[in-house]
Amino acid sequence: ELVEPKRQADSANMAKSEFLAVMAHEIRTPLHQVVGFIDLLGHTLLDKEQTDYIKLLQNSSSAMMTVINDLLDYTKLEAGKMTLESIPFDPRAVVEGALAAITPNAEKKGLRIENNLENMPEDLIGDPNRVRQIL
């Protein structure tokens, strides 16, 4: 009795995941072009206001790319195709990078972000991208 509804639900879930993966790829391709042109603009002669606009565009496009990549990772996870890297990395650099990404927005809200990485090891083996996503 429950076999057919489960099969239909699994089929619908797979179709949803495939749709999300295709849409994420379709969005990511032109976004790469936008990021490239923003980078090119950043290397031209700009006044202070224009430089601020470029930084805002870089931050926004980076945030969009992160969302798209997270969406692709989610579809991989659902499909059982997620793989974890096992490479040497500096966890302090990963934490500092994650904090650098959120600090501007936090400061706009009157928040101060601090870290204490003194006792953190310098070298680990693992997947720095997944650690960054978690943070």
Side-chain angles (χ1 to χ4, degrees):
E1 220 173 271
L2 297 176
V3 173
E4 182 59 21
K6 181 176 180 344
R7 188 195 64 72
Q8 289 175 347
D10 288 344
S11 178
N13 193 42
M14 183 173 285
K16 175 200 67 164
S17 293
E18 289 174 9
F19 173 78
L20 289 174
V22 168
M23 287 296 97
H25 280 290
E26 291 296 322
I27 293 168
R28 188 168 63 169
T29 300
L31 183 56
H32 275 295
Q33 293 173 339
V34 170
V35 169
F37 279 109
I38 292 169
D39 187 53
L40 288 174
L41 278 172
H43 289 91
T44 63
L45 294 175
L46 303 171
D47 62 31
K48 167 108 174 69
E49 184 178 28
Q50 292 168 327
T51 300
D52 290 344
Y53 289 153
I54 290 294
K55 287 179 184 175
L56 180 62
L57 286 169
Q58 287 170 329
N59 289 339
S60 296
S61 60
S62 176
M64 287 176 62
M65 193 65 74
T66 298
V67 169
I68 291 167
N69 288 334
D70 287 350
L71 182 61
L72 286 170
D73 286 344
Y74 174 76
T75 60
K76 286 180 193 173
L77 187 62
E78 276 196 331
K81 296 180 181 178
M82 175 64 73
T83 58
L84 297 176
E85 288 188 304
S86 185
I87 61 172
F89 73 99
D90 179 357
R92 288 185 280 181
V94 172
V95 171
E96 288 170 351
L99 292 178
I102 64 169
T103 296
N105 285 336
E107 288 175 347
K108 287 178 188 175
K109 295 176 182 178
L111 302 172
R112 187 178 75 207
I113 302 220
E114 295 181 5
N115 67 58
N116 182 352
L117 305 176
E118 293 173 10
N119 296 323
M120 185 175 279
E122 292 182 27
D123 297 306
L124 290 178
I125 303 292
D127 192 328
N129 290 323
R130 300 297 169 252
V131 172
R132 186 176 298 109
Q133 286 177 328
I134 292 166
L135 294 174

